[in-house]
Amino acid sequence: MTADRTLILLAAGGTGGHMFPAEALAGELLRRGFTPALVTDRRGQAYGGTLGAIPVHRIHAGAIAGRNVFGLARGIATLALGTAEAFLLMRRLRPAVVVGFGGYASVPAVAAAIATGIPTAIHEQNAVLGRANRLLARRVSQVATSFAAVSALPPDARVVNTGMPVRPAIPVLRTIPYPSLAADDPASAPFRILVLGGSQGARILSEVIPAALALLPEPLRRRIDIAQQCRPEDIEAVRRAYRASGIRADLASFFTDVPDRLAAAHLVIARAGASTVAELTTAGRPAILVPYPHAVDDHQTANAHAVAETGGAWPMPQDVFTPPALAARLQSLIEMPVMLEKAAACARATGHPDAASRLADVVEALATSSRHTTTTTTTTTTTGRKVA
């Protein structure tokens, strides 16, 4: 079957960390005249937006890391089944390029593409190469990374640093200056804190941050204006804690206007997931990052330190993320606004607002190379027949 030179298959696990960059790339590919389609497991079907508007192909996928012997056997069998399904999919669709975004759902599709001679790329969101991507990194045509340095990469991998694609509203924030505090009256200027954290491990943020702010001197507490994401079951307790310490707080389990809140924030306190870190560096906002300690391969710690090394954030491991320690850090930052401005500039300098475009360039180059290879092969075959 003739290959479809405009079809790009995006293979991703069903979690948001894998799906968000896939969606950003899908949008950019559509703008360039390509036809993206998604390959995922059953979890990926729940996503809307651009991914909800393109064809979706479901295959079997199962994790193999961190399992007991029975779970390992089941995961291997499921991956084998998914790979067989992916082979059939490649033969039927003949895409120009297959791009994997991690998660075990990406492994069968990328492996099948490699075996059938289709150009491939993988994108790694974190500062540690994910376990699914480790299975593929040596064999794909290109490895795209979010960070300049990524551990666990094989030495012979073909690597390009594209950055982590973010939602379209975030790069716009680069045009909005950091809300400087240096010239304001320190006795009355509000200090805006944004706390981001989803359901995974967010409870510690709801416990520590209100207690830490309560320890600040009363003049500083009067200045605090905090917006915080909390688990639904924690919101009332957090609201009572802030009310008791006289702190203005806007609490919700989900903010629909994160870009606006990020633009206004003087400081962000958050976990160190790849999407969060990418949005902070793209927007240019300083942060206290509390890595989720149970993340696979402790990749959030690597993410946090990668930003800290540039001067754009302050990591606080969860075991030292206590109310007294956080209160001391916050007081020093509030009283020295020049440190925050410098950190904001450092964060901004490391961001890749054009990450989706850079990643699309990689894909387009692979598609062009594939097209030339196909044309050469076809010409040679035709010429051979004529000579014969």
Side-chain angles (χ1 to χ4, degrees):
M1 183 177 292
T2 303
D4 184 345
R5 305 328 311 164
T6 67
L7 177 61
I8 310 295
L9 290 187
L10 311 179
T15 60
H18 304 306
M19 285 294 183
F20 292 154
E23 178 167 25
L25 177 60
E28 181 63 27
L29 291 174
L30 283 169
R31 284 187 286 275
R32 297 186 183 200
F34 287 94
T35 306
L38 177 67
V39 181
T40 187
D41 57 14
R42 62 183 180 275
R43 294 176 301 168
Q45 290 290 83
Y47 285 82
T50 303
L51 294 183
I54 65 176
V56 178
H57 305 279
R58 293 176 61 192
I59 59 175
H60 285 82
I64 57 176
R67 298 294 185 91
N68 58 33
V69 64
F70 298 107
L72 178 62
R74 188 182 306 112
I76 292 174
T78 304
L79 276 178
L81 175 58
T83 302
E85 294 170 333
F87 266 108
L88 294 175
L89 191 64
M90 298 304 148
R91 292 182 62 184
R92 177 166 61 89
L93 299 178
R94 295 301 302 173
V97 181
V98 176
V99 187
F101 287 89
Y104 283 101
S106 70
V107 174
V110 178
I114 293 170
T116 52
I118 297 169
T120 53
I122 56 175
H123 181 268
E124 177 54 53
Q125 294 87 52
N126 294 295
V128 179
L129 192 66
R131 296 188 181 185
N133 279 343
R134 288 180 209 180
L135 299 173
L136 305 164
R138 283 188 173 88
R139 301 174 61 201
V140 295
S141 310
Q142 192 77 61
V143 178
T145 64
S146 296
F147 292 88
V150 176
S151 63
L153 272 170
D156 53 345
R158 294 172 288 277
V159 181
V160 58
N161 178 216
T162 60
M164 171 75 168
V166 296
R167 48 187 147 178
I170 299 299
V172 177
L173 301 184
R174 293 175 73 84
T175 65
I176 302 175
Y178 176 76
S180 175
L181 289 162
D184 290 328
D185 180 3
S188 60
F191 186 86
R192 291 181 290 274
I193 299 174
L194 176 61
V195 181
L196 299 174
S199 59
Q200 189 181 58
R203 183 174 184 179
I204 189 73
L205 303 182
S206 294
E207 292 174 345
V208 171
I209 296 174
L213 295 182
L215 296 176
L216 293 176
E218 196 271 339
L220 292 185
R221 291 203 310 271
R222 286 202 310 265
R223 295 180 56 196
I224 298 296
D225 191 340
I226 188 166
Q228 181 168 350
Q229 286 183 334
C230 309
R231 300 187 310 168
E233 58 268 37
D234 296 334
I235 285 181
E236 287 308 314
V238 175
R239 181 172 287 115
R240 287 194 298 271
Y242 283 133
R243 187 181 298 121
S245 55
I247 292 172
R248 296 184 300 275
D250 183 4
L251 310 178
S253 58
F254 182 77
F255 289 132
T256 59
D257 57 347
V258 168
D260 292 338
R261 294 179 184 272
L262 193 56
H266 294 105
L267 178 68
V268 176
I269 304 176
R271 291 300 196 182
S275 294
T276 298
V277 168
E279 293 193 350
L280 290 171
T281 55
T282 299
R285 293 298 180 267
I288 293 173
L289 297 174
V290 187
Y292 181 61
H294 307 298
V296 176
D297 295 322
D298 197 21
H299 65 259
Q300 288 203 9
T301 294
N303 294 349
H305 282 290
V307 185
E309 287 171 3
T310 70
W314 298 272
M316 290 192 73
Q318 188 162 301
D319 58 353
V320 299
F321 184 67
T322 63
L326 179 59
R329 173 62 56 85
L330 288 172
Q331 183 167 352
S332 67
L333 292 176
I334 295 171
E335 293 177 345
M336 297 185 65
V338 67
M339 292 178 60
L340 289 164
E341 292 186 16
K342 181 179 178 180
C346 290
R348 188 181 189 278
T350 63
H352 291 291
D354 58 346
S357 178
R358 290 157 66 109
L359 184 55
D361 288 344
V362 172
V363 175
E364 188 167 3
L366 290 174
T368 301
S369 174
S370 173
R371 186 181 302 116
H372 288 166
T373 300
T374 302
T375 301
T376 302
T377 301
T378 302
T379 302
T380 302
T381 302
T382 303
T383 304
R385 287 174 180 170
K386 287 180 178 179
V387 171

